[in-house]
Structure formats: structure tokens, C-alpha cells
């Protein structure tokens, strides 16, 4: 009895494994077509000043308009993009779209910065900065309206090429920030070697506010030591926003202000920001 049960479980496990494998195989094939089929879209989420809640920038967030499953979120495909080596190409598409969008908003009379999530694999490329500089030039886009977000764990993996690229980016005037700060395994010595414009505190830490603020207080003192501006992610209620404004946080992002929006909605938001 036990033995046959064991075998059944083994079969089940085997079937689930195979299904997962086949799913990934199909997804990968579709992913390879996604760029040329124009299936990616960017949504934009505002970041506001902690003081007066005015919009200071947007974060561009990638979505995949999947032919069968509908709109897919990055958590369900970014990892596959990375593992299959497609993230550099997709990341380049994201950068180009965002730069065009910044330029377009500029033409409409709104100078707004946009931040882009960049995978560490993109920064391993020797010609990353040269390519980016070309895109900025071609679109007449001011480098300081572009911000690149890199995760803390990715940054501390950084080798010489990454460090060199980061220095060149800052020299160019592109802003660089640390994303998801406080939840990775940081090598603080290494982080301290690089100068950042912004540090974004991970939303899982922000969720503990305002009732359990000790950890966030500690993180804020580290950010101050690193001389970076502080951004809080995942701000979902007034009490949290108030706490952060009172404790030295510069900018806020989260559902309290807006969920990520389509380009049209974001443009509307820029021209008719909600009254505080
Ligand atoms: P992230 O860079 O930390 O982006 C913030 C995520 O938190 C977004 O999820 C956003 O929709 C979500 N969020 C914002 N405010 C709130 C809030 O108040 N509450 C909650 N619960 N969530 C909030 P999204 O769009 O699903 O993106 C997930 C992650 O995927 C991003 O995390 C980023 O690491 C990655 N990602 C997104 N776009 C790109 C891209 O173009 N390239 C790369 N390499 N990664 C990307
Ligand atoms: Mg981000
Ligand atoms: Mg984040
Ligand atoms: Mg994240």
C-alpha cells in the first residue's frame, strides 16, 4: 500500500515537472516572437514629492500582452528572459521606448523624469553607455531626465565593467538608483564605493509602517550616510505617507497615489494631477 502510494506520488510529481517544463518551453518560444510582434507595453507609475505630493517622475514597468493569456506581469516572465539571454535585447527596447516618451512629453510641454529597471546583464556590456548616449542624442533627450534602477543584490555582484559603466553613466548625467533596498544581501563596502542619486526602500519594509518603524528608521540612517535621496516604494495609505514625510523620506511611490498606468492615462495624470 505504502509502496504503491509512493509510486503514485512519484508519477504525479513527474507529471507536474513535465508540465512545468513544457509550459516554460512554450513560453520561451512565444517570448522570442514577442518583440517582433510588438507585444510588450510599458506602464507608468508616478513618484511624488513627500512634501507637497507633486509628481516628480514616473517609473516605467514592463508588461507583456500575451496572445493567449492577456496582460502578463514581469514577475511571470522576467526571470525567463534573463535565463534565456533575452533580457539585454528587451531591456534595450524598454530604454528606447522610455527615451522616446520623455522626449514626447517634453514636446507637450512637460519635463518629467522617467526611471527604468535595468538588469545587471545589461550593465555587463562594454558598449552599454555608448549605446545609451546615442539613443539620448537621437531623441534630443536630456540625460538627467533618465534614471536607471538597479537592484541591491545585482549591484553587489558587480564586476569591473559594471563599476566602469556606472561611473560613465553618472558622468553623462544619467541618474542611478538602488532598487528594492533593504531586502538583498548587501555588501555595504561595495555599495559605498559607488555614488547613487536615489535609494528606493523595498515595499516589504514600508509595509511595516507606521506600527513597526524600527527597521525602516535604521535603513533611513544608512541612506543618509550614503548621501542619496530616499524614495519609499509601496506606499498604500495616508498614515504611512505621513510617517515617511516626517522621517526624512524625499519621494513616495505606491497605490495611494496611483497604480501603474497606460501612456494615455499617465499623460492625463501629468496634465491634471489629482488634488491633494
Ligand atoms: P520594482 O522595480 O520594485 O517595481 C515596483 C513594483 O511594485 C511594480 O510591480 C509595481 O506595480 C508594484 N507596486 C507599486 N506600488 C505598489 C503598492 O503600493 N503596493 C503593491 N503591492 N505593489 C506596488 P510590477 O510592475 O509587477 O514589477 C515587478 C518587478 O519587475 C519590478 O519591481 C522590477 O524589478 C521588474 N521589472 C519591471 N519592469 C522591468 C523592466 O523593464 N526591466 C527589468 N529588468 N525588470 C523590470
Ligand atoms: Mg524599480
Ligand atoms: Mg522596487
Ligand atoms: Mg522588485
Amino acid at each position: 500500500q505504502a509502496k504503491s502510494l509512493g509510486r503514485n506520488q512519484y508519477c504525479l510529481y513527474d507529471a507536474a515537472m513535465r508540465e512545468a517544463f513544457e509550459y516554460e518551453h512554450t513560453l520561451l518560444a512565444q517570448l522570442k516572437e514577442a518583440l517582433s510582434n510588438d507585444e510588450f507595453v510599458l506602464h507608468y507609475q508616478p513618484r511624488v514629492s513627500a512634501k507637497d505630493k507633486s509628481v516628480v517622475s514616473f517609473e516605467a514597468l514592463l508588461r507583456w500582452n500575451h496572445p493567449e493569456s492577456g496582460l502578463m506581469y514581469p514577475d511571470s516572465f522576467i526571470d525567463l528572459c534573463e535565463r534565456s539571454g533575452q533580457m539585454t535585447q528587451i531591456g534595450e527596447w524598454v530604454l528606447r521606448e522610455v527615451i522616446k516618451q520623455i522626449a514626447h512629453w517634453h514636446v507637450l510641454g512637460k519635463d518629467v523624469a522617467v526611471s527604468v529597471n535595468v538588469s545587471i546583464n545589461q550593465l555587463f556590456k562594454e558598449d552599454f553607455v555608448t549605446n545609451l548616449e546615442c539613443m539620448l542624442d537621437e531623441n534630443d533627450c536630456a540625460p538627467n531626465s533618465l534614471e536607471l534602477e538597479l537592484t541591491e543584490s545585482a549591484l553587489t555582484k558587480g564586476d569591473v565593467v559594471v563599476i566602469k559603466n556606472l561611473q560613465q553613466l553618472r558622468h553623462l548625467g544619467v541618474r542611478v538608483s538602488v532598487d528594492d533596498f533593504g531586502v538583498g544581501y548587501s555588501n555595504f563596502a561595495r555599495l559605498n564605493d559607488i555614488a547613487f542619486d536615489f535609494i528606493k526602500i523595498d515595499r516589504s519594509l514600508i509595509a511595516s509602517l507606521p506600527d513597526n518603524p524600527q527597521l525602516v528608521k535604521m535603513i533611513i540612517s544608512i541612506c543618509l550616510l550614503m548621501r542619496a535621496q530616499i524614495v519609499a516604494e509601496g506606499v498604500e495609505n495616508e498614515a504611512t505617507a505621513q510617517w515617511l514625510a516626517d522621517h526624512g523620506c524625499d519621494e513616495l511611490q505606491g497605490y495611494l497615489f496611483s497604480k501603474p498606468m497606460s501612456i494615455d492615462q499617465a499623460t492625463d495624470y501629468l496634465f491634471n494631477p489629482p488634488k491633494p
Side-chain angles (χ1 to χ4, degrees), residues 67-79:
E68 291 140 29
S69 316
L71 205 63
M72 282 175 70
Y73 289 80
D75 286 341
S76 56
F77 63 87
I78 285 279
D79 185 54

Side-chain angles (χ1 to χ4, degrees), residues 31-228:
L31 200 54
K32 285 188 172 143
E33 303 291 310
L35 261 185
S36 49
N37 289 347
D38 216 12
E39 288 167 2
F40 288 116
V41 276
L42 291 173
H43 281 184
Y44 292 84
Q45 187 181 34
R47 206 157 99 190
V48 306
S49 150
K51 278 201 201 75
D52 62 9
K53 311 293 185 296
S54 59
V55 191
V56 282
S57 62
F58 283 109
E59 176 172 6
L61 294 156
L62 185 63
R63 274 95 184 86
W64 177 13
N65 223 329
H66 188 275
E68 291 140 29
S69 316
L71 205 63
M72 282 175 70
Y73 289 80
D75 286 341
S76 56
F77 63 87
I78 285 279
D79 185 54
L80 188 60
C81 296
E82 298 279 9
R83 282 186 286 125
S84 62
Q86 290 180 82
M87 203 56 231
T88 7
Q89 226 190 335
I90 298 168
E92 203 173 302
W93 177 85
V94 173
L95 280 168
R96 180 166 286 115
E97 288 300 302
V98 163
I99 289 169
K100 283 195 276 186
Q101 190 58 48
I102 295 172
H104 186 64
W105 276 326
H106 174 78
V107 168
L108 295 181
K110 294 283 177 189
D111 282 312
V112 65
V114 179
S115 68
V116 174
N117 295 284
V118 170
S119 139
I120 193 69
N121 290 322
Q122 295 176 259
L123 276 195
F124 280 136
K125 295 234 157 185
E126 297 267 2
D127 57 0
F128 178 78
V129 183
T130 324
N131 273 342
L132 186 66
E133 207 175 349
C134 281
M135 285 189 227
L136 289 164
D137 279 351
E138 277 167 19
N139 293 282
D140 263 323
C141 177
N144 66 3
S145 25
L146 183 67
E147 177 185 327
L148 304 185
E149 300 189 7
L150 288 144
T151 61
E152 177 196 0
S153 32
L155 280 166
T156 48
K157 260 191 284 188
D159 67 353
V160 279
V161 181
V162 174
I163 305 288
K164 207 185 80 195
N165 277 334
L166 287 172
Q167 283 162 349
Q168 285 181 358
L169 280 172
R170 293 199 34 110
H171 189 72
L172 187 65
V174 169
R175 308 256 157 89
V176 178
S177 54
V178 185
D179 200 0
D180 302 348
F181 189 69
V183 293
Y185 298 92
S186 279
N187 176 340
F188 282 114
R190 177 141 241 166
L191 274 186
N192 218 5
D193 287 343
I194 315 164
F196 296 103
D197 297 282
F198 299 96
I199 296 180
K200 302 186 75 176
I201 305 176
D202 193 77
R203 72 162 188 268
S204 61
L205 295 167
I206 299 303
S208 62
L209 296 175
D211 298 335
N212 295 296
Q214 297 315 329
L215 200 51
V216 176
K217 281 187 182 167
M218 193 186 83
I219 299 277
I220 288 178
S221 12
I222 296 173
C223 297
L224 291 172
L225 283 173
M226 289 169 68
R227 295 169 196 286

